[in-house]
Amino acid sequence: METLIEFFSFEYPNIKYVVFGTILLSISSAVVGCFTFIKKKSLVGDVVSHAVLPGICISFLASGSKDPFLLIIGAFISGWISIVVMDAIIRNTKIKEDAATGLALSVFFGVGILLMTYIQHSGNASQSGLDTFLFGKAAALVGIDLLAFSIIAVIVLIVVFLFYKEFKLISFDPQFAKVIGLPIRRLEIVLTSITVLAVVTGIQAVGVVLMAAMLITPAAAARFWTNRLSKMLIIASVFGAFSGISGAFISYSTPSMPTGPWMVMILSIVALFSFFFAPGRGIVINQWRRFKIQQQLLEENLLKAFFKIGETNNDYFKEIEANDLRLARAFSSGQLTKGLRKLNSNGYVERVGNAWRLSKEGHDKGKRITRLHRLWELYLTKYLRIAPDHVHEDADTIEHVITPELESRLEQLLDYPTSDPHHSTIPGRN
Amino acid sequence: MDAFIIILTGSLVAVSCALLGSFLVLRKMAMIGDAISHSVLPGIVIAFLLVGSLQSVWMIIGAGLIGVLTTFLIEFFHQKGKLQTDASIGVTFTWLFALGVILVTYYAGNAHIDQDCILHGEIAYVPIDLMYDDAGNAIGPKAVIVLSVVLALILVFITVFYKELFITTFDPDFANAIGISSARWHYLLMGLVSLTTVASFESVGAILVVALLIAPASAAYLITRDLKWMLMLSSLFGIVSSFLGYWLSYLLDGSIAGAMVTISGAIFGICYLVTVLKK
C-alpha cells in the first residue's frame, strides 16, 4: 500500500516520466491498432515490429551514434520496406497472406539479429544498449529518448484525430471510399506510416515480440464492448493506458520484474476477461443465451407433444407416460427427464405416479405452439407454394419465435383458417 | 570438427522445419506455426523448473501439449468468441510469450535460459554441450542427438501417413467425407511443430525457427507444383542455408542462426525473382 501511494504521488520525477511515457506509447499503439484490427490486418503490426530491427542496426552502423531520431528514421524505413515486400509477395506469387506475413517477419528479424550480433562483436563501445530494442526498457525511458518517442506518439494521435473520418471509411469500406473520390492510396500510405511510427515508438517500451500485443490486444478487447469505432478507440486507449500504468507500477514495486511483459500480461488479462464476460458479445453470455434458447425449445416441443397426444385421445388432461411422448417426437431420455422436471417446476405439467398430466397453463401453451406451427405451414403452402410435405421442418423452427403481432397478421392474411395443409384443425386462440 | 557439428545441427533443424513448414504453408497456417513457436516458451520454462533440464521427455511432451493448446485457444476465440483469426493469433501468442518472459526473468537464477537465447539461441555452444551415457562416456553433442531423433520422428510420420497428410492438406472436406479426420491431423501436425520448436530452441531460438519453417518451404512452393518435390527442395534449401549461413556468420562474426535465416531469405528472394521474371 505504501508503495502504491509513493508511486502515485509521483515523488520521484523519474516515475512521472516513465508513467507519462508508457501511457502515451500505449495509447498511440492502441488507437492505431483499432484500424489495423478493423482491416483484419492485425498481424501487420507484428511484421513491422520485427522488421524495424535491421533498420535500427543499419542506421547505427551508418551514423555510429544512438541518436534516437536517426534510429527512428532507419526503423521507419525498414518497417515500410517489410510491408512493401509482403504486399509484393502476395500480389505476384501464389503464396498466401499468412506465409508472406511470416516470411517478412522472420527473415527481416533474422537479418536484424545477424547485424546486431555483428555490431556487438565488432567491439564498438557505443553499441551497448542497442539490444534494449529486443525486449524494451520502459522503466528506463528518460531524457532525449522519452522526448523523441513522446513527440512521435503525439504526432500519431494528432494524425488519427485529423483523418478520423477518412481512416474509418477506408478501413470499413474501401470500395465506397474510392467511389466518393477519396485519395485511397495516399490515405493508405498515411495510415501505414503512422502504424509504423506507433510500432517504432512502442518497441522502446515493450520490445520486438510483444509490440504486436500493444497493437492487437487493446483493439480486440475493446471490440467486445462496443460496435462503434469511436467508442472502440476510447476503450482501447483506456485499456492501453491502464496496462501502461500497471506495468510501470509492478516493475517499480518489484524492480526485478520487466515492465513490458507485465504490460502485455495485464492487457491480456483485460482481453481474456472481455472475451469471456463482456455483456453482449462475451463467450459466457453467449453460451448462456444458447442454453436458455435450447431449454425453451425443449419445453415448447414437449408441451406440443402433450397437446398432440391429447388431440388424438380427445382428452388433453389424461395422464401420459414418458414413453408415449417419445412416440410423438424423438426426445432423448436425458431431454425427457430434464424437460419434464423443468415443466413441472413451472407448473405446466404435474406428476401422477409414473405418468404426467398437463395443467391448464401447460395446455394453453402447447395449444398456442401447435397453432403457430399449423398457421405457418398453411402460410408456406398458400403463399410460397411449397408442397405440404415440405413445410413441417420450417414450421418446427419458426413456431418458437412468432410474436403475437405476427400471429395476428398471419391469421388475417390467411383469412382466419380452421385447418392446416394436413387437414388438422388449427386450434383457436385461448 | 566444431564447424561440422554446428552445420550438422543447423541442417537437422532446417530439414525438420522445412518438412513441417511445407505443410504449414500449403495449409495456410504459417502464422499458427509462428504463434506456436512463441507460445512454447512458458512450457519450456515450467518444464525446466519442474524437471531441471532442457532436454527431457517431459519437456517434449509438455511442448507438444502447449502447442496443441495454443492451436485450440486460437480456434476457440475465433469460433466461440467470434474474434477474427488474425487478432486471435496475435492475442494468444503474445500473452503466452509474455508469461514466458516473466517466468524467465523471475527464475533467472535457476534456469540457464536468458532472454537473448529465447530470441536467437546460440548454436555455437552445441559442440561443447555433450551427452553422456551411464558410464560417463561422452556419446556426442546433446542437441545433435535430440534433433536427430526429432527429424527421424518427422520423417517416419510423413512417410507412413503421407496419404492422410496429403488429402487433409489439399481437400479437408473430401478427407472428412471419406472418414479421415482433418482435425486430428491438424492437431498432430501442430504437436510436431511445437516439438520441433522446443528441440530447436536452444540452437536457433524461438523466432528464427519461424523463418526456417516458412522461408525454405515458400521458396520451394514457388518453383514446384508437386508435394514430394516441394518437401525435397525445401529440405535442400534448408541444408544450403545451414552451410552458407555458417560461412556468412564466420565472415561477419555474427549470430549463426541469424545468418542462416538471412541466407534462407536470400534463397527465397532468388526463387521470387525467377518466378516474377518468368511471368
Side-chain angles (χ1 to χ4, degrees):
Chain A
M1 197 56 212
E2 241 170 63
T3 344
L4 195 71
I5 296 167
E6 195 179 289
F7 179 77
F8 281 105
S9 64
F10 297 126
E11 224 171 85
Y12 304 103
N14 208 4
I15 305 178
K16 215 185 305 178
Y17 294 139
V18 170
V19 171
F20 177 73
T22 42
I23 290 180
L24 213 50
L25 298 178
S26 310
I27 292 181
S28 71
S29 37
V31 165
V32 171
C34 285
F35 289 102
T36 52
F37 178 90
I38 287 165
K39 289 158 74 85
K40 294 203 164 52
K41 292 219 183 287
S42 293
L43 292 171
V44 165
D46 200 19
V47 176
V48 174
S49 65
H50 286 80
V52 296
L53 195 57
I56 291 170
C57 293
I58 290 172
S59 90
F60 174 81
L61 281 173
S63 69
S65 82
K66 280 198 317 236
D67 179 358
F69 286 101
L70 288 176
L71 295 186
I72 288 173
I73 293 173
F76 182 78
I77 294 173
S78 73
W80 245 111
I81 293 177
S82 73
I83 293 182
V84 172
V85 166
M86 195 171 83
D87 284 344
I89 294 175
I90 297 173
R91 203 162 359 99
N92 295 332
T93 69
K94 55 182 177 175
I95 288 175
K96 304 293 179 303
E97 196 177 345
D98 65 307
T101 310
L103 196 66
L105 177 162
S106 56
V107 172
F108 270 80
F109 188 73
V111 175
I113 288 289
L114 179 64
L115 290 173
M116 182 167 278
T117 42
Y118 165 67
I119 294 170
Q120 281 167 349
H121 296 170
S122 68
N124 188 332
S126 60
Q127 59 84 21
S128 72
L130 209 55
D131 59 347
T132 48
F133 279 96
L134 292 176
F135 282 98
K137 50 153 188 179
L141 266 185
V142 278
I144 180 123
D145 285 357
L146 182 69
L147 185 70
F149 294 106
S150 305
I151 290 175
I152 292 179
V154 171
I155 292 177
V156 167
L157 289 173
I158 292 175
V159 172
V160 171
F161 185 75
L162 290 179
F163 291 98
Y164 172 69
K165 221 194 271 168
E166 285 81 1
F167 287 167
K168 185 175 169 184
L169 212 50
I170 60 171
S171 304
F172 277 110
D173 197 344
Q175 302 295 333
F176 180 67
K178 198 172 188 174
V179 169
I180 61 168
L182 282 181
I184 300 241
R185 266 194 77 80
R186 256 176 289 163
L187 283 170
E188 287 277 2
I189 289 173
V190 176
L191 186 55
T192 310
S193 298
I194 61 165
T195 309
V196 178
L197 279 181
V199 169
V200 173
T201 55
I203 279 180
Q204 274 289 298
V206 298
V208 166
V209 181
L210 294 175
M211 186 53 219
M214 300 303 292
L215 286 169
I216 304 171
T217 313
R223 180 67 189 86
F224 276 75
W225 297 88
T226 177
N227 285 326
R228 297 196 66 85
L229 179 63
S230 50
K231 281 188 193 155
M232 191 174 151
L233 289 172
I234 292 169
I235 297 173
S237 305
V238 171
F239 287 165
F242 173 70
S243 76
I245 298 177
S246 322
F249 173 70
I250 288 173
S251 73
Y252 172 74
S253 59
T254 322
S256 65
M257 282 290 147
T259 317
W262 269 107
M263 282 166 70
V264 173
M265 197 42 150
I266 285 157
L267 259 186
S268 306
I269 293 170
V270 170
L272 289 178
F273 179 82
S274 309
F275 294 172
F276 281 100
F277 303 111
R281 277 180 61 115
I283 294 173
V284 169
I285 205 90
N286 264 327
Q287 294 298 314
W288 173 249
R289 238 180 253 146
R290 227 170 122 165
F291 169 74
K292 274 304 200 194
I293 289 172
Q294 269 167 356
Q295 207 169 37
Q296 182 208 341
L297 292 188
L298 177 63
E299 275 174 40
E300 295 189 350
N301 284 335
L302 274 170
L303 288 174
K304 204 170 60 172
F306 269 105
F307 186 85
K308 194 171 167 192
I309 297 170
E311 204 175 25
T312 354
N313 294 344
N314 250 328
D315 177 5
Y316 294 108
F317 301 102
K318 217 173 113 180
E319 295 86 18
I320 293 166
E321 280 186 21
N323 267 338
D324 295 333
L325 289 168
R326 290 173 110 168
L327 293 179
R329 190 188 177 95
F331 297 105
S332 73
S333 56
Q335 280 179 322
L336 272 182
T337 341
K338 216 169 55 186
L340 286 170
R341 197 188 307 138
K342 188 87 187 130
L343 286 176
N344 192 10
S345 69
N346 287 350
Y348 289 128
V349 298
E350 50 188 338
R351 194 172 190 135
V352 189
N354 250 344
W356 301 84
R357 187 168 58 204
L358 271 182
S359 71
K360 176 77 176 66
E361 291 78 34
H363 165 262
D364 289 352
K365 196 158 181 192
K367 184 170 158 192
R368 175 157 190 270
I369 300 292
T370 313
R371 180 177 142 78
L372 295 176
H373 181 97
R374 292 178 182 167
L375 274 175
W376 190 257
E377 285 190 336
L378 189 62
Y379 171 73
L380 286 184
T381 42
K382 210 163 163 184
Y383 281 90
L384 294 178
R385 303 190 175 282
I386 295 174
D389 52 343
H390 279 64
V391 293
H392 177 77
E393 274 77 26
D394 197 27
D396 228 27
T397 323
I398 205 153
E399 67 195 20
H400 304 286
V401 292
I402 292 180
T403 57
E405 293 78 31
L406 196 58
E407 182 185 352
S408 309
R409 289 279 310 271
L410 273 175
E411 229 179 355
Q412 205 180 5
L413 198 65
L414 297 164
D415 200 15
Y416 303 95
T418 51
S419 69
D420 75 355
H422 312 295
H423 309 295
S424 307
T425 315
I426 296 178
R429 276 170 188 272
N430 297 317
Chain B
M1 186 59 193
D2 280 2
F4 171 73
I5 292 176
I6 290 171
I7 293 174
L8 178 65
T9 314
S11 303
L12 287 171
V13 173
V15 173
S16 307
C17 287
L19 292 173
L20 293 175
S22 299
F23 288 102
L24 288 183
V25 168
L26 288 172
R27 287 167 170 246
K28 305 187 191 71
M29 290 190 308
M31 286 314 283
I32 296 187
D34 178 54
I36 288 179
S37 72
H38 288 76
S39 65
V40 292
L41 181 61
I44 290 175
V45 181
I46 292 168
F48 180 83
L49 292 174
L50 291 178
V51 191
S53 143
L54 275 179
Q55 267 127 2
S56 71
V57 181
W58 291 111
M59 181 85 83
I60 303 279
I61 295 174
L65 288 180
I66 207 157
V68 173
L69 174 77
T70 309
T71 323
F72 171 79
L73 279 178
I74 292 172
E75 276 294 295
F76 178 77
F77 292 140
H78 176 52
Q79 291 190 343
K80 298 281 175 194
K82 307 242 161 33
L83 185 65
Q84 59 207 44
T85 324
D86 59 332
S88 182
I89 293 175
V91 173
T92 309
F93 88 79
T94 51
W95 168 54
L96 289 167
F97 191 79
L99 178 66
V101 176
I102 290 171
L103 285 174
V104 168
T105 328
Y106 193 71
Y107 293 104
N110 303 3
H112 60 255
I113 32 182
D114 63 357
Q115 295 192 332
D116 283 350
C117 142
I118 296 166
L119 290 179
H120 53 86
E122 197 39 274
I123 205 168
Y125 294 153
V126 166
I128 48 173
D129 190 10
L130 300 177
M131 188 180 252
Y132 298 95
D133 63 9
D134 293 338
N137 304 314
I139 315 172
K142 234 190 232 173
V144 172
I145 297 169
V146 173
L147 287 166
S148 309
V149 174
V150 170
L151 178 59
L153 195 68
I154 292 170
L155 280 173
V156 169
F157 179 76
I158 292 180
T159 345
V160 174
F161 301 114
Y162 184 78
K163 224 177 359 185
E164 283 83 354
L165 285 170
F166 184 93
I167 208 162
T168 51
T169 299
F170 290 105
D171 200 340
D173 292 335
F174 178 63
N176 281 331
I178 60 170
I180 298 172
S181 159
S182 303
R184 183 196 306 155
W185 294 98
H186 173 73
Y187 283 111
L188 273 175
L189 204 58
M190 293 306 150
L192 275 180
V193 169
S194 38
L195 197 148
T196 311
T197 316
V198 172
S200 323
F201 195 78
E202 267 188 304
S203 33
V204 296
I207 298 169
L208 299 182
V209 166
V210 183
L212 295 176
L213 278 170
I214 304 174
S218 301
Y221 181 50
L222 283 181
I223 53 178
T224 178
R225 299 173 62 87
D226 185 290
L227 178 58
K228 278 183 184 144
W229 273 106
M230 186 173 162
L231 290 171
M232 282 187 272
L233 274 174
S234 58
S235 306
L236 178 71
F237 291 159
I239 294 171
V240 173
S241 308
S242 177
F243 269 90
L244 295 183
Y246 183 77
W247 169 76
L248 181 64
S249 83
Y250 181 76
L251 273 188
L252 290 179
D253 186 22
S255 148
I256 301 170
M260 279 175 68
V261 173
T262 307
I263 298 289
S264 68
I267 295 177
F268 175 83
I270 294 170
C271 294
Y272 173 80
L273 286 179
V274 169
T275 2
V276 173
L277 291 180
K278 252 204 286 190
K279 262 204 281 195

